[in-house]
Amino acid sequence: MPVKKGFTLVELIVVLAIFASFIVLITIVMNNYLHKIQKDIELLDVMRRLTDAADKVTQILIRARGNASSIDISDTGTAVDFEILFAEKAILSQLEVVNSNLLKYTESYSGESTSLLMPIEDVEITFQSLSDSTSVDLPIQLSVSAPNPLIQESTITMNFTIYPPGVR
């Protein structure tokens, strides 16, 4: 009788069981790793949204030129009024936080007004005066905050101090 070469059914089942246990172990490790990567991506997205919103606000506020007393922060902390001096003429400007997704920038000159709406992404923005004086609202503290993706009941906040270079 010739000798048959090959694997028995028991040997094949043992190999499949070992292979299946490795696959399960790799799946568990990869799932945890992918979950951590997803949380890191969400955190990076929040940081990007915060810095984008802060950059938009800063780019507008550094345009202020003129007297320091012309800068006025609203009582609610959601709007800043300021002047831009251009060729000895004052352009009255306002930056207003409409909601967590929209900024409104308005310039008024010679009775005409133009507005620009700028989208932001789920970011709360507030302004506060860091001055002890009641007549001057400089420097301005800009606070941007958004929900923290890692801890549900908390927020991530970034604070910036802005003193427009053209204001005296």
Side-chain angles (χ1 to χ4, degrees):
M1 186 170 221
V3 178
K4 292 186 177 181
K5 294 183 181 180
F7 298 107
T8 65
L9 182 60
V10 173
E11 291 172 329
L12 289 174
I13 290 175
V14 168
V15 168
L16 284 175
I18 292 171
F19 183 70
S21 63
F22 280 131
I23 295 296
V24 167
L25 183 65
I26 288 172
T27 303
I28 291 171
V29 170
M30 288 301 294
N31 189 32
N32 290 340
Y33 179 72
L34 293 174
H35 182 71
K36 182 185 178 316
I37 286 176
Q38 181 63 33
K39 288 294 186 182
D40 289 347
I41 289 171
E42 290 173 8
L43 183 60
L44 287 172
D45 181 56
V46 167
M47 299 302 284
R48 179 197 55 80
R49 289 185 289 128
L50 291 174
T51 54
D52 284 352
D55 286 345
K56 287 179 181 180
V57 170
T58 302
Q59 289 302 313
I60 290 173
L61 290 179
I62 63 172
R63 298 178 66 198
R65 303 279 187 269
N67 192 335
S69 62
S70 71
I71 295 182
D72 183 38
I73 299 173
S74 69
D75 293 337
T76 59
T78 59
V80 177
D81 296 325
F82 58 96
E83 289 181 349
I84 300 173
L85 292 179
F86 184 73
E88 303 296 323
K89 305 284 184 187
I91 300 171
L92 302 177
S93 302
Q94 182 185 56
L95 178 62
E96 178 186 5
V97 180
V98 177
N99 57 39
S100 64
N101 293 306
L102 194 61
L103 291 173
K104 180 181 178 184
Y105 175 62
T106 306
E107 287 184 351
S108 300
Y109 178 71
S110 297
E112 293 185 27
S113 177
T114 59
S115 294
L116 173 66
L117 296 176
M118 295 177 288
I120 53 176
E121 298 178 58
D122 194 25
V123 175
E124 296 294 327
I125 298 174
T126 57
F127 305 102
Q128 180 181 356
S129 172
L130 294 178
S131 173
D132 294 332
S133 170
T134 56
S135 62
V136 177
D137 284 345
L138 289 175
I140 299 170
Q141 178 177 344
L142 166 65
S143 296
V144 290
S145 60
N148 185 344
L150 302 179
I151 303 171
Q152 297 300 332
E153 291 80 32
S154 69
T155 59
I156 296 175
T157 302
M158 298 172 99
N159 293 315
F160 301 89
T161 301
I162 301 171
Y163 198 108
V167 175
R168 19 179 216 291

